[in-house]
Amino acid sequence: MRKDLDIIYNWIPEKSRVLDLGCGDGALLQRLSRHKNVSGYGLEIDPAEIQKCIERGVSVVEQNLDKGLANFADHSFDTVVMSQALQTLRFPHLAVEEMLRVGRECIITFPNFGQWKARWHLAFSGRMPVSDLLPYEWYDTPNIHFCTFRDFEVLCRQHNWQILHRQVVSESKVSAALKDFLPNLFGETAIYHLTR
Amino acid sequence: MGNTADLPANSVGIVEPKSHTFPGPFKLACGRVLDEYTLRYETYGTLNADRSNGVLICHALSGHHHAAGYHSTSDKRPGWWDHYIGPGKPIDTNKFFVVALNNLGGCHGSTGPASINPQTGRPWGPDFPPLRARDWVHSQAQLADLLGIECWAAVVGGSLGGMQAMRWSLEYPQRLRHCVVIASAMKLSAQNIAFNETARQAITSDPNFSDGRYLENNTLPRDGLAVARMIGHITYLSDDGLGKKFGRELRSGTFEQGVEELVEFQVQSYLRYQGDSFSGSFDPNTYILMTRALDYFDLAREYDNDPVKAFSHARCKFLLVSFTSDWRFAPERSREIVDALMHANVPVSYAEVESPMGHDAFLLPNERYEKIFSAYMDNVAKEGQSGVLS
C-alpha cells in the first residue's frame, strides 16, 4: 500500500466510521474494515476504480466530489479521508470545509508542488514537471490546483483549521532521509490531520 | 432452433415452470383474505446442501416466472432477464439456485384477476383484491419456506422488482444477506403516476373493457391494453434511444406534395407491434392491478415518511445501479435510496451506468453493468457458506 495510506491507516482508531473521498480501488477501506472493524463508504467517480472496490467487497458510491457533500449530515462520520484528490477539485478550500462539517476530523494527503524535483524541473527546463508522482502533461492532468506544504498551512491558518498531526513522506530514499529537515523541499506527499 | 444443442451455451437451457397452491388464509395489506392462492415459478441452478445459495428474482411490471432459458427448442426468445441469469452470467446458475415467479395477481399461472374466484365460480376480474408490494413479499416468503430457503443469498430486482427487494429487507431482515436494487425508486413521482393513470384510462375506456368483466362477456379490451403498453413503452425508452433506433425514418408514404397516402413512421409501427403483441398475452385487469401497486408503493410511509428510519431495520448489504438515460426511474431516485442507506449506516455500493437505453437498460446487455453485477454477485457467492451479517 502507498506510504501515505499506511499512515492514514495508523491514524484512524478502531471501530470508527470513515468516509473516504476519492477512495480509488478501496484498498484503505478494505484494510480498515478487516483489521480495525471500521465501517464506512468510499466515494469515487472513476468506473474502473468503482469496479475494483466492488471486487474487494468495499462499499463504494459513485459520486462527483465537485458537486459537494450536501447529501451527508453534519458530523455523520468520525473521520473523512481524502488522499491525493484535493488537487483535482474545483474548489479545494470548500471541499475541506465540507469535510470538517461531515466529519469530526479529516485527513488529507496531496502531492507537494514545492518539492525540489518540481522546482528543479520548472526552474531549469522551463516546463511543467512530469514525474512518477505527477505523471501527466499540463493539458491532460486531472490536477488543477497544485499547492506546496507552505501554501496549505497558510490556508489552514486562514480558515482556523486546527492541525492535529502532519507528516511528510517520500518514496525515494534520498528524499526520505532529508524530508524531516526541509519538508517543503524534500517531501513528496503531505498528510494532514485536521479538525475545527 | 430445433434441438437443445442449438441453445446458447450460456443459457440455462430448457426450463419447466412449476406451480404450488398455498393453503390460506392469506391476509392481504388491504384487509381482505385469500382462502388459498397459487404461485407459478421457475428455478435455475441447484440448491446447495446448506440451502444458502438461493437468489430470488423479483417480478418487474410485466415480467413473470420465465426469467431465463427457453420453454422449448422452438421458443424464439428466452426469459425476460436471460442476459443476466445463466451459467457465467452475473447471476451465475453454476453458483446460485435462482427462483423467479409470477407474482400474485399476475396472469401467467399465479392466482390473479383472470383466475376463478372459488367463492363465485366466475373469474375474479375487477373484484380481485388490490395488492401491495408487501403482499408479494409475504407470498414470496411462503415460496421460500416451500423450497426450504431460510435466508436468501440475495433478493434481486429491477424497477418494480427493486421495490419488492427493498421491502424484503424491511419485512424479513433476517431472511436475506444481500439486496440488489436496479433502476428503482422508493416511491413514484407524480409524473410516473400520471403515466400509469393514462395507461389505465386507455384500458378502462375501451368499450370492450365491460367494467372489467370482459372474460365473462368474451370482449377483450385489446386496443386499450395495446395503447397502455405503448404509453409504458415510450417511458421505458429514452428520447435518444428512440432517435437512434428509428429517427424519422418512414415505413410507408412520402412527404411528396400531392400524395394522399398517409405517412407512417418506423417508430409508429414499432410501438403498434409492441402494443399488439402485449395485448395478446397480458390480462388487462392484471395490468391495472400491477400499475396501482406501483403507484401505492412508498417505502417509508409507515416509518414516519423517513427512509432513514425505514432502512435502519435492514440487516443486509445493498447494491444499487441506475442508468444515465433512465427518466422513468432516474439516477436521482436511486441516489435518494443510497443516501438514506448511508444515513442509516447500512453497507451499500452504488453505480450510475452510462447507457442510452432508458429504463429498459436494466434488461439489456451493457458491459459496465454486467461487470459490476458479476463482481458483486461473485462476492455474495464467496461469502455464501459463512452466512455472516455485518
Side-chain angles (χ1 to χ4, degrees), chain B residues 141-328:
Chain B
Q142 296 203 327
L143 180 60
D145 293 339
L146 174 78
L147 298 169
I149 296 168
E150 173 58 31
C151 181
W152 297 102
V155 175
V156 179
S159 194
L160 178 59
M163 293 172 166
Q164 293 163 63
M166 287 187 280
R167 187 58 81 199
W168 257 97
S169 75
L170 306 185
E171 296 287 313
Y172 297 100
Q174 307 301 337
R175 295 196 72 175
L176 68 164
R177 294 200 307 274
H178 292 268
C179 183
V180 179
V181 180
I182 299 162
S184 193
M186 288 192 282
K187 57 185 169 195
L188 293 194
S189 66
Q191 190 193 41
N192 288 155
I193 295 171
F195 281 124
N196 285 346
E197 178 59 18
T198 312
R200 286 190 294 265
Q201 286 294 330
I203 296 170
T204 55
S205 59
D206 184 320
N208 286 332
F209 183 63
S210 311
D211 292 326
R213 306 227 169 262
Y214 46 84
L215 289 179
E216 291 160 77
N217 298 343
N218 270 319
T219 56
L220 202 62
R222 282 189 70 125
D223 294 345
L225 184 58
V227 172
R229 183 57 173 178
M230 286 163 76
I231 295 162
H233 215 74
I234 297 165
T235 70
Y236 303 146
L237 300 170
S238 68
D239 188 15
D240 205 31
L242 274 176
K244 281 202 179 107
K245 202 164 176 182
F246 304 105
R248 291 177 51 84
E249 242 175 82
L250 298 186
R251 184 179 155 84
S252 62
T254 78
F255 289 111
E256 289 287 317
Q257 282 189 349
V259 179
E260 293 243 334
E261 192 193 347
L262 276 182
V263 155
E264 192 191 22
F265 291 94
Q266 283 290 359
V267 67
Q268 285 176 284
S269 91
Y270 169 76
L271 279 179
R272 269 207 300 270
Y273 170 79
Q274 293 291 342
D276 285 346
S277 62
F278 186 74
S279 67
S281 63
F282 211 86
D283 176 61
N285 280 320
T286 288
Y287 200 77
I288 292 171
L289 177 149
M290 295 271 173
T291 55
R292 285 224 172 96
L294 251 179
D295 291 357
Y296 298 154
F297 185 81
D298 184 345
L299 183 97
R301 191 192 289 114
E302 68 260 42
Y303 299 91
D304 301 330
N305 291 310
D306 179 357
V308 180
K309 195 168 167 187
F311 280 128
S312 66
H313 296 271
R315 292 288 168 272
C316 59
K317 295 182 178 178
F318 285 74
L319 171 67
L320 274 98
V321 179
S322 70
F323 300 92
T324 49
S325 59
D326 183 353
W327 56 283
R328 181 99 195 220

Side-chain angles (χ1 to χ4, degrees), chain A residues 25 29 43 87 117 171 187:
Chain A
D25 64 7
L29 278 173
L43 303 188
Q87 74 281 1
K117 279 194 211 161
E171 302 285 337

